[in-house]
Amino acid sequence: MVGGPEKRLNHDSMAELSIRVATMADAPAILALADRLPAFGPTTRAPAEIAAGERAALANALSRSSPGSRLLVADHPPHGVIGVIFLETRQDYFTNRPHGYVAILAVAGEAEGRGVGRALLKAAEDWGRANGFTKLTLAVFTDNRRAKDFYERQGWHPELETWYKELGVDEGAACHALEAV
């Protein structure tokens, strides 16, 4: 159903929702969900840039499963894949201890507000506990108030912010300079 006309799923039908490991057969639906990721900001990057980067990360996760990572989907018959979460293992900068990282979380528009995101985050918590992690982390764009509110309702807390400054260097020249190093 992802990519088709948006027809809201009702709460009653969510009893059929299952969270499972993604397979290559899920690729079209998973990659289509990348288009949902720029839907709520930021204003600092073009939506096409965000969707392309996230689509590449999801395609890579599908084709090269690595130890310490997991790609899960929310599957809802007969609609199919209506959500995805990509989990990675990262090292804490301060303690050097491993922790789980939610790299990507996306839910189809027709499934918003129906518990799919909560179910995927619950599966992430289960994955983290099974791997012996004491915490999970994630990043969210500053402008994405909707996601921040959602994460707060699920018990998440902000810790760090990433700040940036444009240096006014042409991207082509920057790539050329890196190649020369």
Side-chain angles (χ1 to χ4, degrees):
M1 178 162 224
V2 174
E6 283 202 11
K7 190 173 183 180
R8 305 288 290 173
L9 301 176
N10 65 45
H11 283 285
D12 296 337
S13 69
M14 288 296 112
E16 300 172 33
L17 183 71
S18 67
I19 307 299
R20 61 173 175 78
V21 175
T23 67
M24 286 305 290
D26 300 320
I30 289 171
L31 297 178
L33 284 167
D35 293 331
R36 293 279 301 148
L37 293 161
F40 307 104
T43 57
T44 56
R45 293 185 183 265
E49 177 185 19
I50 296 167
E54 302 289 29
R55 194 174 296 106
L58 289 166
N60 187 48
L62 267 167
S63 66
R64 286 179 262 182
S65 178
S66 63
S69 70
R70 179 68 52 99
L71 186 63
L72 302 173
V73 294
D75 191 359
H76 184 268
H79 305 288
V81 172
I82 58 172
V84 64
I85 192 165
F86 177 39
L87 306 167
E88 298 177 309
T89 299
R90 299 253 175 120
Q91 298 296 123
D92 185 275
Y93 176 83
F94 301 105
T95 66
N96 205 34
R97 285 190 296 242
H99 68 274
Y101 179 73
V102 177
I104 297 174
L105 173 62
V107 173
E110 67 271 13
E112 269 186 30
R114 303 297 188 251
V116 177
R118 280 190 304 277
L120 287 164
L121 283 178
K122 165 82 171 67
E125 292 173 20
D126 293 343
W127 170 82
R129 285 185 192 97
N131 281 284
F133 301 143
T134 59
K135 70 177 178 179
L136 295 176
T137 62
L138 56 78
V140 61
F141 284 112
T142 303
D143 297 342
N144 195 342
R145 186 74 248 162
R146 188 172 178 169
K148 289 178 176 183
D149 291 344
F150 170 73
Y151 295 132
E152 286 176 5
R153 286 192 308 271
Q154 306 315 307
W156 292 70
H157 308 283
E159 182 180 39
L160 298 172
E161 289 184 302
T162 301
W163 289 53
Y164 74 96
K165 180 179 180 179
E166 295 285 344
L167 299 178
V169 177
D170 175 57
E171 284 188 35
C175 289
H176 180 67
L178 285 173
E179 291 170 0
V181 172

